[in-house]
């Protein structure tokens, strides 16, 4: 089975983890700080806060933004559950902004129209989670302008976009978002096994993120409400969580980071081959928005079902039967049972629903060979020309 995504590990990665295993620190040691600093430097950000996964990163980013009961979070319906669930964890209401029919990312024009209406009804969001779907940022310049106008915090969920660029700068630099979240799950661009990171340029947010990931406690006397009892002393000053990453994971992340440029180059090479070799099939291929340079976490095609004999599911199952581990990213969040119970119904976000009825994610990962890709393309052609 050719998977849709797969980690790329080598002996250097293994050696980096073994080195930590032989050290005095397995959990909260200096390797985490080195990984955070390296990621921040790579992305031209001031602060990096590493956590156990990107869901945890989204949660504490929302909390650091002050999201709570009575507030509203907006995000794209074309994303993984965590992009919306993070708002619900904070007690906030969640709503969605439909996607752009070309990039399949959050539609900035739809966002503006929704903000105009929300201002009239007093239902403006406190937080927008702007998802960098498949590896490219949405129209973050417009998003940032709207955030200044309407007063909401922007969290870019760049779980797919480690190493991507927008407007000539690294995603995560903080020019267009208050905080940026990355994922290091094994199918993502680089991996720590499980893991996530929040980047920000604001010291107040960084301080709170660090506190929230570790039970809401601090050893900093400046944050305490009484003098320290001694060198052992710490205080819990708010309700936090055990969202900490380990030195073992951070060591793997540091090793993977040294290979990021190579991973990106191969992903872009494979994406370019797909774009060239699939151009004449009854498919709608990915479109990059003007200022985005994608990391190509996913390569999604949309079946032009009106031109095909086989339906969406039949093509999907045909590819699986041929040993190709295709997937669908994503089922629109508002159609999930949990969100339907909150009042969302089919038809609320028609672009996301139309996309879902046609989308298939094809295999794309750095170790994928040209021969494997050619096989995927050949099998897809056979299904589409029946």
């Amino acid at each position: 089975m050719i998977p849709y995504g797969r980690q790329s590990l080598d002996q250097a990665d293994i050696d980096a983890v073994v080195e930590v295993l032989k050290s005095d620190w397995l959990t909260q040691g200096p390797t985490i700080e080195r990984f955070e600093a390296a990621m921040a430097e790579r992305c031209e950000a001031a602060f990096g806060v590493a956590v156990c996964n990107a869901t945890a990163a989204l949660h504490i980013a929302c909390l650091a933004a002050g999201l709570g009961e009575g507030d509203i979070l907006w995000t794209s319906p074309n994303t993984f559950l965590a992009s919306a669930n993070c708002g619900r964890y904070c007690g906030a209401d969640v709503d969605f902004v439909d996607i752009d029919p070309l990039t399949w990312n959050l539609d900035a024009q739809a966002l503006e129209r929704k903000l105009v209406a929300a201002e009239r009804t007093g239902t403006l969001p406190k937080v927008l989670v702007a998802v960098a779907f498949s590896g490219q940022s949405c129209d973050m310049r417009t998003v940032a302008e709207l955030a200044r106008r309407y007063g909401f915090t922007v969290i870019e969920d760049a779980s797919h976009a480690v190493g991507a660029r927008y407007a000539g700068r690294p995603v995560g630099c903080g020019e267009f978002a208050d905080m940026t979240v990355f994922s290091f799950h094994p199918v993502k661009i680089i991996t720590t096994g499980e893991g996530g990171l929040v980047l920000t340029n604001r010291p107040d947010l960084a301080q709170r993120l660090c506190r929230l990931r570790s039970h809401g406690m601090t050893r900093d006397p400046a944050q305490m409400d009484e003098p320290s009892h001694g060198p052992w002393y710490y205080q819990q000053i708010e309700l936090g969580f055990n969202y900490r990453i380990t030195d073992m994971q951070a060591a793997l992340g540091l090793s993977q980071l040294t290979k990021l440029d190579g991973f990106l180059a191969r992903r872009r090479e494979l994406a370019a081959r797909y774009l060239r070799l699939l151009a004449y099939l009854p498919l709608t291929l990915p479109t990059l928005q003007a200022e985005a340079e994608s990391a190509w976490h996913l390569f999604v095609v949309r079946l032009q079902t009106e031109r095909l004999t086989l339906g969406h599911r039949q093509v999907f199952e045909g590819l699986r039967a041929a040993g190709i581990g295709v997937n669908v990213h994503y089922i629109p969040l508002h159609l999930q049972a949990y969100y339907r119970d909150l009042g969302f119904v089919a038809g609320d976000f028609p672009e996301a629903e139309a996309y879902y009825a046609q989308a298939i994610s094809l295999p794309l990962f750095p170790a994928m060979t040209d021969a494997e890709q050619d096989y995927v393309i050949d099998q897809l052609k056979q299904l589409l020309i029946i």
Side-chain angles (χ1 to χ4, degrees):
M1 180 70 74
I2 303 172
Y4 85 86
R6 176 190 287 157
Q7 69 271 18
S8 294
L9 301 176
D10 62 15
Q11 190 61 45
D13 297 317
I14 296 168
D15 292 343
V17 176
V18 170
E19 184 177 350
V20 169
L21 289 170
K22 293 178 177 178
S23 75
D24 293 331
W25 298 93
L26 298 184
T27 54
Q28 307 309 297
T31 310
I32 295 171
E33 294 180 1
R34 288 170 50 217
F35 179 53
E36 291 171 333
M39 285 298 305
E41 181 179 8
R42 169 78 193 213
C43 297
E44 301 177 6
F47 305 99
V49 179
V51 292
C52 56
N53 55 60
T55 301
L58 286 166
H59 184 194
I60 62 172
C62 287
L63 289 171
L67 190 71
E69 296 279 350
D71 294 326
I72 303 170
L73 176 146
W74 288 0
T75 191
S76 168
N78 184 33
T79 184
F80 186 59
L81 306 168
S83 305
N85 289 352
C86 57
R88 299 296 294 160
Y89 299 156
C90 299
D93 292 328
V94 168
D95 202 353
F96 303 97
V97 179
D98 212 349
I99 64 171
D100 184 293
L102 295 178
T103 67
W104 315 327
N105 248 323
L106 182 144
D107 186 334
Q109 282 65 50
L111 172 63
E112 183 169 16
R113 292 192 296 271
K114 193 175 181 92
L115 287 165
V116 170
E119 187 175 42
R120 289 197 298 265
T121 58
T123 55
L124 286 168
K126 186 162 190 174
V127 168
L128 176 76
V129 175
V131 178
F133 173 71
S134 80
Q136 69 158 326
S137 293
C138 61
D139 182 358
M140 292 299 292
R141 187 180 298 280
T142 299
V143 166
E145 291 171 357
L146 292 170
R148 287 190 291 270
R149 189 187 314 169
Y150 290 96
F152 56 86
T153 296
V154 178
I155 300 170
E156 185 170 18
D157 182 351
S159 294
H160 293 184
V162 175
R165 298 179 69 84
Y166 177 80
R169 296 192 65 194
V171 170
C173 69
E175 184 174 354
F176 302 104
D178 299 278
M179 289 172 277
T180 301
V181 168
F182 289 143
S183 170
F184 307 122
H185 183 276
V187 298
K188 298 303 197 303
I189 310 297
I190 62 173
T191 186
T192 60
E194 278 277 10
L197 185 90
V198 188
L199 293 173
T200 185
N201 291 333
R202 287 176 46 184
D204 60 322
L205 291 177
Q207 183 183 77
R208 189 156 189 229
L209 289 164
C210 287
R211 199 166 62 226
L212 285 165
R213 74 170 168 187
S214 191
H215 305 283
M217 68 182 191
T218 184
R219 295 181 183 275
D220 179 2
Q223 298 182 48
M224 297 178 184
D225 66 356
E226 64 180 14
S228 172
H229 299 179
W232 65 86
Y233 191 62
Y234 59 86
Q235 272 192 359
Q236 181 188 346
I237 61 175
E238 64 178 319
L239 183 63
F241 307 88
N242 185 359
Y243 282 169
R244 296 174 297 200
I245 199 170
T246 69
D247 266 40
M248 294 176 287
Q249 293 168 289
L252 178 56
L254 274 168
S255 180
Q256 287 267 293
L257 187 56
T258 66
K259 295 182 275 286
L260 176 57
D261 288 332
F263 291 163
L264 293 169
R266 181 55 179 161
R267 285 179 176 276
R268 288 167 179 156
E269 185 178 78
L270 289 166
R273 288 190 89 239
Y274 270 140
L275 289 169
R276 183 175 73 253
L277 297 173
L278 296 175
Y280 303 103
L281 292 177
L283 299 169
T284 301
L285 300 178
T287 299
L288 294 184
Q289 70 105 355
E291 297 194 272
E293 184 178 346
S294 181
W296 290 107
H297 165 54
L298 298 174
F299 192 92
V300 180
V301 298
R302 289 179 65 168
L303 306 180
Q304 294 176 3
T305 46
E306 71 282 0
R307 299 173 58 190
L308 299 176
T309 302
L310 297 180
H312 183 222
R313 181 168 177 171
Q314 290 171 300
V315 174
F316 183 96
E317 291 179 342
L319 291 168
R320 282 281 181 96
I324 301 168
V326 290
N327 212 330
V328 173
H329 299 87
Y330 290 97
I331 304 166
L333 290 193
H334 68 287
L335 300 182
Q336 293 287 349
Y338 175 81
Y339 286 99
R340 283 189 280 110
D341 286 346
L342 296 178
F344 294 101
V345 297
D348 281 347
F349 304 101
E351 289 292 348
E353 293 171 32
Y355 161 87
Y356 170 58
Q358 299 174 328
I360 296 179
S361 298
L362 301 180
L364 180 65
F365 51 93
M368 187 180 190
T369 66
D370 287 2
E372 287 175 323
Q373 189 180 38
D374 289 341
Y375 176 74
V376 172
I377 293 166
D378 181 64
Q379 293 300 308
L380 185 57
K381 285 180 178 177
Q382 290 186 41
L383 290 164
L384 297 185
I385 63 175
I386 290 175

